[in-house]
Amino acid sequence: MGRKKVIEVLNLTKKFGDFTAVDNVRFDVYEGEIFGFLGPNGAGKTTTINMLITLLKPTSGEAYVAGYNVVKEPYRVRRMIGVVFQDPTIDRYLTGYENMYIHGLIYGLPREKIRNRIDELLKFVDLYEFRDKPVKTYSGGMIRRLEIARSLLHIPKILFLDEPTLGLDPQTRAKIWEYIERLRYEHNVTIFMTTHYMDEAEKLCDRIAIIDHGRIIALDTPENLIKMVGDEVVYVRIDGQPIDIDKLRGINSYIKDVEIRSNQIIFSVSNSSKAIPTILEHLVGLGVDVQEVKYHKPDMGDVFLKLTGRDLRDDEGSWKDMVRTVLRRWR
Amino acid sequence: MEGVGFTKALYAMIYREVIRYRRAYSRMLGSVLNPIIWLIFFGIGWASLFRDNIFRQIFLGLDYITFLAPGIVMMAIFSASFLGGVSMLWDREFGFLKEILVAPSSRSASLIGKSIGIAFTALVQGILILMVTLPLTNNVNLYGILPAIIVSYIVSLGFTSLGMAIASRMNSMEGFHLIVSVVMMPIIFLSGAFYPINGLPDWMTILIYGNPLTYGVDLVRYLLTGVYAVDPMLSLIGTILFTTVFTALSAYLFEKTTI
């Protein structure tokens, strides 16, 4: 590919006592991409991030961020990265502007530059008119937006987002997604994000590493991961009308396989939206009375199910998340 | 090479503490009222019983309120700075600590900046209390006020650092009340703020001389009223020494902090 690696992770492992949180993880992140870590809670996503952002020492293995070793050159790494943590890290008693100003100072930026850039970034996340309000009056979504803006202040090369939409309502999530997508074009950063939302990973990420029990069990583009699970499936209910299966083959090139099971015909297809119209046309031509048509498109959930035998959805909404959501509202 | 912009990080943290203090009116009011309540309800009560001149020799020749006043001021400064330092726990609880830990600036700069800021707010409180107290006292040496303020600031820096050192070893809020009763109360009572420290049982005398606050209280009392139990020069050295040690300790522990 010849693209430049901005994160290089070599057999990274983190143990807490007997428990192995991250187990021999190995991956690269290329410049300009959105790279996602998808997995259930407790899979080791945050532990991996904490090692990459120099807050946690690996038990073994190495990692390079922006070319610097995270253990040996933490201060250099810190200068190159922006981080939005899972839980808020703002000072609630300060205004949005003051929070950003302090950030600028502790990243060693010149004061004049800080002021101009704060205004520009607050406009980017639509918080400009709230700049002088204390953060304790902000909603959860506004706080997240402020943190995204703040993390960009020092022009990082790589942005780490740990569960960027955890605990947010659907509209706010959509809004945050929009900012993340605009980020890499308008601010020219590589993004490393973790999430346990399949839709989020599928929509935003160029490549996804699926992580479970501290191991990467798959790493590819969302399209390829989904292809791995198998084809899309079209179900046509015909309620026991007699039909010759041979007449159903070769209707169009999208159809890969056909079978008839009790009262329905099941087509395995490569593209259901293209296949369905010709299938229906053909069936009508054969004089079949079609009762119902359904189709299923595999998603990241099916990928996870296939890889682990467990449903990622079962792991959503644990009590920890609930507590976190409640706390966040209450703060 | 460790970090960028030492002075900027220092300034950032002072700026933060001062803004936070300015905004928390109720905290400011409470911290000023509490010592004044002590001075009036505790101090005037005993002072009336000790009215007779024969008691003066117990209090090194002073009337009780004048003896107590520097002690109350130092108690207030100590509480504000120590609790301010321990309040780093809130930074951990509410996440702001991570913002500092992941920044490229030197952690010591952030820590010392925070300590300078908190000590400054504690000093402002101390000065406010001193001003309320002065009319109740007799023969306070007005020229001693400025040196007393400087000494108070050094004491304040020391105890802010001690608070932060303790906070960086704690991972939750649970130990907070324990710290308050096991650390704060003995330091206040065994500092000579409320009663003279000569002629006490041996075990108590040992604790008193091992208490860093004793030297600050005695020195400030000397500067304001001219009486002392410990040689003022020794108190000054002790105070500076304790502050230096606590600052170094907190910086060392904070450098190693993880999340």
Side-chain angles (χ1 to χ4, degrees):
Chain A
M1 228 190 295
R3 280 202 291 163
K4 206 177 143 201
K5 289 176 190 171
V6 289
I7 301 178
E8 214 177 333
V9 176
L10 304 165
N11 306 325
L12 204 62
T13 298
K14 179 68 190 179
K15 291 182 182 164
F16 296 104
D18 288 340
F19 175 68
T20 307
V22 175
D23 192 359
N24 228 354
V25 160
R26 193 183 179 109
F27 64 91
D28 296 322
V29 176
Y30 297 101
E31 189 165 38
E33 74 176 338
I34 300 185
F35 185 90
F37 245 37
L38 173 70
N41 295 314
K45 305 187 297 281
T46 301
T47 308
T48 307
I49 276 211
N50 284 340
M51 288 191 282
L52 294 181
I53 63 176
T54 75
L55 290 191
L56 207 57
K57 282 210 165 62
T59 309
S60 64
E62 282 182 88
Y64 295 86
V65 171
Y68 299 114
N69 186 302
V70 295
V71 177
K72 292 180 191 141
E73 302 160 291
Y75 283 97
R76 287 184 189 275
V77 171
R78 287 175 202 164
R79 216 186 303 184
M80 309 305 284
I81 61 173
V83 185
V84 178
F85 290 95
Q86 208 170 104
D87 296 309
T89 61
I90 26 83
D91 187 326
R92 303 173 341 117
Y93 293 98
L94 304 186
T95 64
Y97 181 86
E98 288 161 349
N99 265 291
M100 292 194 64
Y101 186 63
I102 286 177
H103 181 93
L105 289 174
I106 60 178
Y107 278 75
L109 304 180
R111 271 164 226 205
E112 266 319 297
K113 207 170 158 193
I114 298 177
R115 291 201 185 97
N116 298 334
R117 201 159 155 78
I118 290 177
D119 288 351
E120 180 194 319
L121 286 167
L122 285 177
K123 282 175 190 154
F124 171 67
V125 294
D126 301 314
L127 284 177
Y128 188 72
E129 58 269 50
F130 300 96
R131 67 207 284 269
D132 294 323
K133 297 251 188 301
V135 175
K136 61 181 174 183
T137 64
Y138 284 26
S139 68
M142 287 162 76
I143 290 178
R144 200 58 57 88
R145 272 145 59 195
L146 176 65
E147 293 196 302
I148 291 177
R150 187 182 64 173
S151 71
L152 294 169
L153 190 61
H154 55 286
I155 317 183
K157 275 182 90 90
I158 305 153
L159 190 60
F160 289 88
L161 304 170
D162 194 0
E163 298 274 6
T165 66
L166 185 68
L168 300 179
D169 61 75
Q171 288 95 318
T172 314
R173 290 184 70 201
K175 194 83 185 152
I176 299 278
W177 288 350
E178 190 195 312
Y179 291 123
I180 295 176
E181 284 185 325
R182 277 171 57 201
L183 264 178
R184 68 160 145 186
Y185 299 115
E186 292 175 28
H187 293 274
N188 207 7
V189 287
T190 305
I191 296 172
F192 179 97
M193 60 179 279
T194 71
T195 181
H196 70 277
Y197 296 116
M198 296 164 291
D199 53 343
E200 185 164 294
E202 201 175 326
K203 181 172 163 49
L204 290 176
C205 298
D206 299 316
R207 286 191 308 140
I208 297 174
I210 297 182
I211 179 163
D212 190 35
H213 297 305
R215 288 164 188 262
I216 292 183
I217 51 178
L219 196 171
D220 213 329
T221 61
E223 297 75 33
N224 287 344
L225 286 170
I226 289 167
K227 262 186 212 148
M228 185 178 85
V229 202
D231 303 313
E232 298 172 26
V233 184
V234 178
Y235 304 89
V236 182
R237 193 157 67 98
I238 52 167
D239 286 346
Q241 298 167 63
I243 191 155
D244 181 358
I245 193 161
D246 290 330
K247 288 189 178 160
L248 299 174
R249 294 190 203 282
I251 299 175
N252 61 42
S253 56
Y254 301 109
I255 297 173
K256 294 184 164 171
D257 197 14
V258 190
E259 64 179 298
I260 297 176
R261 212 182 284 165
S262 63
N263 62 356
Q264 57 186 1
I265 316 172
I266 303 171
F267 298 90
S268 297
V269 301
S270 56
N271 185 334
S272 50
S273 32
K274 293 246 169 74
I276 290 172
T278 40
I279 289 174
L280 289 183
E281 215 172 287
H282 188 76
L283 288 173
V284 170
L286 289 174
V288 175
D289 185 12
V290 174
Q291 302 288 314
E292 190 183 357
V293 179
K294 280 194 296 192
Y295 75 98
H296 176 73
K297 250 186 156 132
D299 60 14
M300 292 307 297
D302 298 295
V303 177
F304 191 80
L305 182 66
K306 184 182 164 96
L307 290 167
T308 65
R310 286 183 295 123
D311 197 338
L312 183 55
R313 294 173 190 91
D314 295 342
D315 293 302
E316 277 183 41
S318 72
W319 65 273
K320 263 191 175 166
D321 283 342
M322 266 166 59
V323 171
R324 189 170 269 140
T325 312
V326 170
L327 276 177
R328 204 168 259 171
R329 253 179 234 145
W330 183 69
R331 276 175 189 175
Chain B
M1 196 228 46
E2 295 252 313
V4 291
F6 193 92
T7 45
K8 280 202 184 102
L10 203 70
Y11 171 73
M13 299 309 289
I14 299 173
Y15 171 82
R16 170 174 180 240
E17 289 305 325
V18 171
I19 294 182
R20 278 172 68 100
Y21 186 71
R22 269 212 326 242
R23 252 167 232 165
Y25 296 109
S26 60
R27 197 178 95 191
M28 202 184 342
L29 197 66
S31 56
V32 171
L33 279 181
N34 182 37
I36 291 174
I37 287 171
W38 269 88
L39 187 82
I40 293 175
F41 298 150
F42 180 88
I44 293 184
W46 284 108
S48 325
L49 293 172
F50 295 140
R51 209 179 316 127
D52 203 294
N53 265 341
I54 56 161
F55 291 110
R56 285 210 168 207
Q57 68 185 78
I58 300 178
F59 301 110
L60 311 167
L62 302 173
D63 63 285
Y64 186 58
I65 284 281
T66 309
F67 176 85
L68 182 66
I72 293 288
V73 171
M74 291 313 283
M75 174 187 88
I77 289 178
F78 161 72
S79 310
S81 39
F82 184 73
L83 286 177
V86 175
S87 78
M88 207 168 75
L89 276 178
W90 271 262
D91 281 352
R92 190 188 289 277
E93 200 76 359
F94 287 106
F96 187 79
L97 189 66
K98 284 184 185 168
E99 157 81 354
I100 299 170
L101 294 182
V102 83
S105 56
S106 132
R107 287 184 182 179
S108 308
S110 304
L111 184 90
I112 294 169
K114 191 174 164 78
S115 147
I116 291 174
I118 292 172
F120 176 72
T121 60
L123 188 71
V124 170
Q125 276 173 42
I127 293 173
L128 283 175
I129 293 160
L130 181 67
M131 302 220 281
V132 177
T133 313
L134 276 180
L136 296 169
T137 57
N138 297 304
N139 303 322
V140 162
N141 171 19
L142 295 179
Y143 294 107
I145 291 181
L146 189 63
I149 287 174
I150 295 168
V151 170
S152 304
Y153 192 67
I154 299 171
V155 172
S156 187
L157 278 176
F159 284 107
T160 307
S161 299
L162 180 65
M164 291 196 292
I166 291 173
S168 45
R169 300 305 294 165
M170 285 167 66
N171 283 318
S172 70
M173 301 296 300
E174 273 120 53
F176 179 71
H177 293 284
L178 190 71
I179 299 264
V180 170
S181 47
V182 174
V183 180
M184 275 189 78
M185 300 305 277
I187 286 183
I188 290 172
F189 283 114
L190 296 173
S191 68
F194 300 120
Y195 46 79
I197 57 175
N198 358 50
L200 299 171
D202 283 349
W203 64 268
M204 217 169 171
T205 307
I206 292 169
L207 289 176
I208 285 171
Y209 281 96
N211 178 358
L213 187 58
T214 304
Y215 305 97
V217 169
D218 207 60
L219 187 55
V220 167
R221 184 175 286 134
Y222 165 74
L223 291 168
L224 293 178
T225 68
V227 304
Y228 58 87
V230 183
D231 185 307
M233 203 56 204
L234 191 68
S235 292
L236 182 64
I237 293 169
T239 298
I240 292 173
L241 198 70
F242 274 119
T243 295
T244 313
V245 169
F246 289 154
T247 306
L249 178 73
S250 64
Y252 169 75
L253 292 175
F254 191 59
E255 205 65 49
K256 296 203 308 178
T257 300
T258 53
I259 40 165

